[in-house]
Amino acid sequence: MRFLQILRKAAASTQNRLRVSPISGNRSFFSHQIHSQSLHSASFGIAFDIDGVILRGDTPIGGSPQALKRLYDDSGALRFPYVFLTNGGGVPESKRATELSKLLGVPILASQVIQGHSPFRQLMNRFENELIIAVGKGEPARVMSEYGFKNVLSIDEYASYFKHIDPLEQYKNWTNEQAGYQRSSSREVERKNDPCSQRVEAVFVVSDSVDWSRDIQVLCDILSTGGLPGREISSQPPLYFANDDLSYQGLFPTERLGMGAFRIALESIYNRVYPNSLEYTSYGKPNPSVFKNAENVLMQLPSTINHRVNEQYPFKTLYMIGDNPSVDINGAWKAGQPWFSILTRSGVFKGKDNHPIYPADMVVDTVEEAVDYILSRETFQPHY
Ligand code: G3P
Ligand code: MG
């Protein structure tokens, strides 16, 4: 039986018993007295995780298209403010918004897409004209260029300038083709300086590494030599990761290794081989600053319901719907009020009850159940 139907039944009987898993903390929703069924002004916003909640690969899951449609009015205007708060990425936010709009059948703005690498934008002034390397699947260099970085190379292109930097390249059919393409496209760009003699000033791991063996080798070369592969050991340039996820839920039934696993591999090797320990900064959830930024973005979104409670505390509740306890739920908990976490069983978390270490405020099977719950709760305006 659908969650909303259960809630309506419960409302009719005034004994509000919801079929959800145990709730942690001291906020209990089982004892709500329902006083009004009229829709008051919304004082809430929603942050949706993507992988394992909205999508698996490129396939919508958990009734996500229907759930999102409920956040728009009949004319297609956004009724309730929401964002996607994902640690994933690899393409510019505008492109991701277009892709998501097609997959989910609702109009999504670029400003509604917050990716793991979105905070890299803040480092633009520091590295605007410096040579930086962008690592990962998709279009990592394009992502950084669109943020305003003017001298960025993808690790694919950068590696292609150094003959024999990857001793295994000849066994990788895909990189042989790619290297040829990279070299011809970079000739068109007509680079002012030879990347081999220009110091790399920073490395940004934008999205998941495609070729761990090549990327770990080239990153060790860059980071151990002060940004000049093949030269002597020198101080390490800054290294930034878009997230530190150990694993995430893709199309395969069990979780896949994420950027955090890649970071551990790089760090373990680097620390064994070179005299100084690897230094790095990781962004993404569960950092509270990511949730603060999401709140600011939610405040700016146009919505047909006036959701501001007051200028200082615009939202009474912000819902984080995620599948990863240590990332999404832990992040919402660390961010504190007004965040309320909802854990779905559609991705990394598959447990029957709540997570023992990072318990969510609520556990449901799917994102559709989560949205039904939020809309029912906010619509009915329960009193505590
Ligand atoms: O690479 C994607 C993954 O690390 C997490 O994505 O949407 O679950 O935060 P998401
Ligand atoms: Mg996820």
Side-chain angles (χ1 to χ4, degrees):
M1 187 187 279
R2 292 263 311 277
F3 185 86
L4 189 57
Q5 291 167 315
I6 294 170
L7 186 64
R8 284 191 181 128
K9 263 192 189 169
S13 68
T14 68
Q15 194 64 30
N16 199 0
R17 289 181 185 282
L18 307 182
R19 187 175 63 86
V20 292
S21 295
I23 295 170
S24 72
N26 52 16
R27 285 177 287 191
S28 170
F29 296 93
F30 293 100
S31 58
H32 292 163
Q33 292 294 306
I34 294 164
H35 288 254
S36 163
Q37 294 194 359
S38 65
L39 182 65
H40 293 238
S41 65
S43 58
F44 69 97
I46 308 175
F48 293 95
D49 179 64
I50 294 183
D51 291 309
V53 169
I54 297 288
L55 302 174
R56 271 194 178 197
D58 279 343
T59 308
I61 56 168
S64 54
Q66 304 88 286
L68 290 171
K69 261 182 208 104
R70 286 172 206 151
L71 305 177
Y72 293 80
D73 67 17
D74 291 341
S75 72
L78 188 61
R79 206 162 154 231
F80 303 112
Y82 78 88
V83 290
F84 294 100
L85 192 56
T86 175
N87 273 353
V91 293
E93 285 73 9
S94 52
K95 187 172 175 186
R96 190 71 172 134
T98 307
E99 289 170 358
L100 288 168
S101 301
K102 278 191 198 134
L103 289 170
L104 300 165
V106 288
I108 294 161
L109 304 167
S111 60
Q112 284 176 284
V113 179
I114 304 169
Q115 305 192 93
H117 48 69
S118 298
F120 287 171
R121 217 185 250 118
Q122 295 153 15
L123 293 161
M124 200 271 288
N125 288 339
R126 186 168 163 198
F127 299 108
E128 185 174 1
N129 297 303
E130 315 286 358
L131 175 61
I132 61 161
I133 303 303
V135 181
K137 68 177 182 184
E139 304 168 297
R142 184 173 158 200
V143 168
M144 299 304 282
S145 298
E146 291 205 6
Y147 290 163
F149 296 87
K150 303 219 165 45
N151 193 3
V152 47
L153 287 177
S154 72
I155 197 164
D156 293 338
E157 181 171 358
Y158 184 69
S160 76
Y161 285 100
F162 294 85
K163 215 170 174 199
H164 307 308
I165 198 167
D166 179 7
L168 304 175
E169 187 187 348
Q170 61 183 300
Y171 303 104
K172 299 172 181 173
N173 298 335
W174 76 90
T175 54
N176 290 337
E177 282 167 28
Q178 203 174 19
Y181 166 75
Q182 295 289 0
R183 286 196 192 100
S184 63
S185 64
S186 78
R187 258 187 235 115
E188 285 160 27
V189 171
E190 206 54 64
R191 302 197 63 80
K192 268 190 256 152
N193 300 306
D194 174 15
C196 299
S197 55
Q198 206 186 345
R199 189 180 293 281
V200 173
E201 298 293 345
V203 173
F204 292 82
V205 184
V206 173
S207 49
D208 291 321
S209 163
V210 176
D211 180 354
W212 282 35
S213 80
R214 194 274 315 268
D215 289 356
I216 288 174
Q217 178 64 71
V218 175
L219 291 181
C220 281
D221 290 326
I222 295 171
L223 298 168
S224 64
T225 58
L228 291 166
R231 311 278 181 93
E232 67 281 1
I233 302 288
S234 187
S235 55
Q236 188 208 308
L239 169 64
Y240 302 98
F241 291 91
N243 72 62
D244 200 40
D245 289 2
L246 278 182
S247 61
Y248 67 97
Q249 186 68 57
L251 282 168
F252 197 72
T254 53
E255 303 93 81
R256 303 294 81 197
L257 298 174
M259 194 181 290
F262 175 75
R263 189 266 304 161
I264 289 170
L266 173 67
E267 188 178 15
S268 310
I269 293 166
Y270 191 91
N271 291 353
R272 280 293 290 273
V273 175
Y274 301 103
N276 296 319
S277 298
L278 188 73
E279 288 179 12
Y280 60 89
T281 305
S282 297
Y283 288 82
K285 299 169 286 183
N287 291 307
S289 61
V290 170
F291 289 78
K292 190 70 216 163
N293 176 52
E295 183 174 352
N296 291 336
V297 173
L298 282 161
M299 259 195 283
Q300 309 300 324
L301 286 177
S303 64
T304 57
I305 303 287
N306 172 22
H307 54 267
R308 286 170 187 239
V309 175
N310 66 47
E311 286 303 317
Q312 208 187 352
Y313 301 105
F315 294 107
K316 205 167 79 183
T317 311
L318 289 171
Y319 296 93
M320 174 71 221
I321 306 175
D323 68 307
N324 190 329
S326 67
V327 173
D328 304 316
I329 306 309
N330 185 25
W333 179 82
K334 282 163 108 171
Q337 287 290 352
W339 286 92
F340 180 94
S341 60
I342 304 182
L343 178 60
T344 68
R345 296 190 181 89
S346 50
V348 169
F349 179 73
K350 299 169 181 77
K352 194 169 162 285
D353 300 316
N354 212 334
H355 191 268
I357 301 168
Y358 302 110
D361 293 309
M362 181 175 192
V363 184
V364 295
D365 287 341
T366 65
V367 65
E368 191 174 14
E369 287 185 18
V371 168
D372 281 346
Y373 170 73
I374 292 167
L375 294 184
S376 305
R377 180 182 180 220
E378 297 292 341
T379 302
F380 289 130
Q381 291 286 306
H383 292 233
Y384 303 91

